[in-house]
Amino acid sequence: MFDIRVFIALMSVDKKEHIMHVAMELFAEKGFEGTSIRDLAQKADVNIAMVNYYFGSKEKLFEQLLADKVQFMRAKIEAVESNESLTEIEKIDHIIDGYVTRFLAQPDFHRVFLQELLVTQRANLHQHVLSLFEKNTRDVVSIIEKGIQKKQFKKVDPQLTFISIVGTINQVMMSKEMCNTLMHASTNHNPYQDPKFKKRIIEHIQQMVHAHLIITTVS
Amino acid sequence: MFDIRVFIALMSVDKKEHIMHVAMELFAEKGFEGTSIRDLAQKADVNIAMVNYYFGSKEKLFEQLLADKVQFMRAKIEAVESNESLTEIEKIDHIIDGYVTRFLAQPDFHRVFLQELLVTQRANLHQHVLSLFEKNTRDVVSIIEKGIQKKQFKKVDPQLTFISIVGTINQVMMSKEMCNTLMHASTNHNPYQDPKFKKRIIEHIQQMVHAHLIITTVS
DNA sequence: GTTTAAATTAAACAACTGTTTAATTGTGAT
DNA sequence: ATCACAATTAAACAGTTGTTTAATTTAAAC
């Protein structure tokens, strides 16, 4: 049955989500301060008052953009960490794969996330993003420490090892043009949807982290 | 002899440089769009017209901030690369040390640099920053490739290896609070002036890159 | 059809933006 | 003292900002 109320409700959600989607693009491209509500309203083809009607303010829209993704961001790492059937190095490999997959799937959002890590202007948002990162750091650090305890890993710096993993991906994600230079591709190419690109990054990080972590038994 | 003209000239330079110094701090903290000329003028204790008087515009001030440091940014890598008396791994170690030293010495500027890499709003500035990064990438990649050619290095991904080096430092530099969490220090601590912090980062990266690059000869 | 409430709109709001102007001050050379 | 010019200032400029208002439209419930 065609229920007009459901249709309307869906349209309404779509409109809100449409605004959020466009906002994500603009924030990623121009930054938070660089994006005006009028820009956003025009690109999303809605009235400028709708942003405040739906979200209350520009800053709250931004907060909701982050909050909406945060739940999903945390879930994977927690799932991997609590999976008892995986060895420590398998967990690390899963986390690397998960990070790259997630970041490549939502490059726009990730750039917004990085901006907020970089700019301390909006203190509470900055703290929020920071605390999320710290949670992830703690999880991965405890995995590496367990590997060291089991004498499977070298006595490395666990915190900085995690930072190298995330830092590598972030550095790659910082600019589309940079990715295309890496892939020797043309400027209009979209590297984030290129499976070869994804494979290349995952293999590099895993290879490097393996060499860094795993104790080579002299035969 | 006390020459009033020299004094004035010095004062004048000092005033310009004073504005640039304060601008660097504000841009790093609030971003380019987030920093208003009135903010800057107030914090630097100058008239708001002085910025346009000295630099022409806010954007030109920003460009000059970058341009002023760029020369110094390139010099070290080029010097290391052309130094014939160094082995490939020594060159890499020097570059790692140089990067960390430079970035820790000018954390404010570096955050501005990263912001410009992240935000594509000011296209020409973005391209400029990008091309600088590509130059450095090419230099380091050619060092790694030479190491591979000489069968001293494993057949790694040279581009992504460089990105891991820079990415690790950038990730650390992204937030002062993050550094303090790493060092288990209090919030008001300045990690960028802590020699222990510097040592820890350099040792981690060098250790990781060594494991990643150097072929372990089975004895 | 009437009612009720949500959705949508154009217009106005006050505050802030980067920049320019025109007047004034300070300084060194003549 | 006078001149020329750089430095400095407060004020005004035109445009944009995020947000609010008050009016209008839409659509479901009765």
Side-chain angles (χ1 to χ4, degrees):
Chain A
M1 283 299 197
F2 176 78
D3 189 335
I4 186 69
R5 284 170 300 179
V6 172
F7 179 74
I8 295 299
L10 279 174
M11 283 302 291
S12 182
V13 169
D14 265 4
K15 194 158 192 172
K16 224 180 146 180
E17 282 184 354
H18 175 62
I19 292 175
M20 291 176 80
H21 184 79
V22 175
M24 190 73 83
E25 281 180 13
L26 283 174
F27 285 146
E29 183 190 345
K30 299 157 169 276
F32 180 79
E33 316 286 349
T35 303
S36 76
I37 290 192
R38 280 169 184 80
D39 283 348
L40 171 55
Q42 192 176 8
K43 192 168 181 187
D45 197 34
V46 296
N47 189 278
I48 52 164
M50 295 312 288
V51 173
N52 285 277
Y53 178 74
Y54 277 130
F55 302 97
S57 71
K58 183 186 170 188
E59 186 147 347
K60 279 183 187 165
L61 159 62
F62 191 81
E63 280 177 36
Q64 195 163 133
L65 273 177
L66 287 177
D68 258 35
K69 307 289 177 180
V70 155
Q71 194 65 21
F72 178 75
M73 296 269 287
R74 285 281 307 144
K76 254 187 181 164
I77 282 202
E78 278 176 356
V80 169
E81 208 221 343
S82 59
N83 187 339
E84 303 285 347
S85 69
L86 295 173
T87 67
E88 270 66 39
I89 193 67
E90 281 171 343
K91 284 182 181 177
I92 299 291
D93 278 351
H94 271 78
I95 287 170
I96 292 172
D97 191 291
Y99 259 90
V100 175
T101 301
R102 187 202 309 151
F103 287 6
L104 288 182
Q106 301 187 314
D108 286 340
F109 166 67
H110 190 64
R111 307 241 324 270
V112 173
F113 193 86
L114 284 179
Q115 273 178 51
E116 213 46 37
L117 216 57
L118 213 49
V119 177
T120 56
Q121 168 120 291
R122 293 167 292 285
N124 47 345
L125 259 184
H126 181 75
Q127 275 302 322
H128 189 100
V129 171
L130 209 63
S131 73
L132 275 168
F133 187 77
E134 278 174 21
K135 270 188 194 167
N136 290 350
T137 307
R138 270 200 297 276
D139 285 351
V140 178
V141 161
S142 75
I143 294 174
I144 295 176
E145 280 172 346
K146 203 172 278 179
I148 297 174
Q149 227 173 30
K150 290 185 182 174
K151 313 249 182 209
Q152 289 166 354
F153 290 172
K154 300 181 205 164
K155 284 177 185 166
V156 298
D157 190 318
Q159 280 93 355
L160 285 177
T161 301
F162 176 63
I163 283 185
S164 284
I165 294 171
V166 178
T168 301
I169 309 174
N170 283 347
Q171 187 69 37
V172 165
M173 301 290 293
M174 275 206 168
S175 165
K176 207 183 87 175
E177 291 94 327
M178 200 191 290
C179 295
N180 281 330
T181 309
L182 269 178
M183 298 300 289
H184 306 287
S186 61
T187 319
N188 52 15
H189 179 248
N190 186 347
Y192 303 122
Q193 291 173 349
D194 188 339
K196 284 182 194 169
F197 184 58
K198 182 181 165 183
K199 195 185 165 205
R200 186 176 163 189
I201 297 172
I202 292 177
E203 280 181 357
H204 161 74
I205 300 177
Q206 289 184 344
Q207 189 179 321
M208 184 179 68
V209 170
H210 284 199
H212 180 54
L213 282 180
I214 299 176
I215 296 175
T216 49
T217 49
V218 180
S219 58
Chain B
M1 284 297 197
F2 175 78
D3 190 334
I4 186 69
R5 282 170 302 179
V6 172
F7 179 73
I8 293 298
L10 279 174
M11 283 300 291
S12 181
V13 169
D14 264 4
K15 192 158 193 172
K16 223 180 145 178
E17 281 183 355
H18 175 62
I19 292 176
M20 290 176 80
H21 185 79
V22 174
M24 189 73 84
E25 281 180 13
L26 283 175
F27 285 147
E29 183 190 344
K30 299 157 168 275
F32 179 79
E33 316 286 349
T35 304
S36 76
I37 292 193
R38 279 168 184 82
D39 282 350
L40 171 56
Q42 192 176 10
K43 191 167 182 186
D45 197 34
V46 297
N47 189 278
I48 52 164
M50 295 312 289
V51 172
N52 285 278
Y53 178 75
Y54 278 130
F55 303 96
S57 71
K58 183 186 169 188
E59 186 145 348
K60 278 182 186 165
L61 159 61
F62 191 81
E63 281 177 35
Q64 195 162 131
L65 273 177
L66 286 177
D68 259 36
K69 307 289 177 178
V70 157
Q71 195 64 22
F72 177 76
M73 295 269 287
R74 285 284 305 147
K76 252 186 181 165
I77 282 201
E78 278 176 355
V80 168
E81 208 223 342
S82 60
N83 187 339
E84 303 285 346
S85 69
L86 294 173
T87 66
E88 270 65 39
I89 193 66
E90 280 172 342
K91 284 183 181 177
I92 299 290
D93 278 351
H94 271 78
I95 287 171
I96 292 171
D97 191 292
Y99 259 89
V100 175
T101 301
R102 186 202 310 153
F103 288 5
L104 288 182
Q106 301 186 316
D108 286 340
F109 165 68
H110 190 63
R111 307 244 319 272
V112 173
F113 193 85
L114 285 180
Q115 273 179 51
E116 212 46 39
L117 216 55
L118 213 48
V119 178
T120 55
Q121 168 120 291
R122 293 166 293 285
N124 48 343
L125 259 184
H126 181 77
Q127 275 302 322
H128 189 100
V129 171
L130 209 64
S131 74
L132 275 169
F133 187 78
E134 278 173 21
K135 269 187 192 167
N136 291 350
T137 306
R138 269 199 296 278
D139 284 352
V140 177
V141 161
S142 76
I143 294 174
I144 296 176
E145 279 172 346
K146 203 173 277 179
I148 297 175
Q149 226 171 32
K150 290 184 181 175
K151 312 250 182 208
Q152 290 167 354
F153 290 172
K154 299 181 205 164
K155 284 176 185 168
V156 299
D157 190 317
Q159 280 95 354
L160 286 177
T161 301
F162 175 64
I163 283 185
S164 284
I165 294 171
V166 178
T168 300
I169 308 173
N170 283 347
Q171 188 69 35
V172 165
M173 300 291 293
M174 275 206 169
S175 164
K176 208 183 85 175
E177 292 95 329
M178 201 191 290
C179 295
N180 281 330
T181 308
L182 270 178
M183 296 302 287
H184 307 286
S186 61
T187 318
N188 53 14
H189 179 248
N190 187 345
Y192 303 121
Q193 291 173 350
D194 187 340
K196 283 183 194 168
F197 184 59
K198 182 181 166 184
K199 196 185 164 206
R200 185 177 163 190
I201 296 173
I202 292 177
E203 280 181 358
H204 161 74
I205 300 177
Q206 288 183 345
Q207 190 179 320
M208 185 178 69
V209 171
H210 283 199
H212 180 54
L213 282 180
I214 299 176
I215 295 174
T216 49
T217 49
V218 180
S219 58

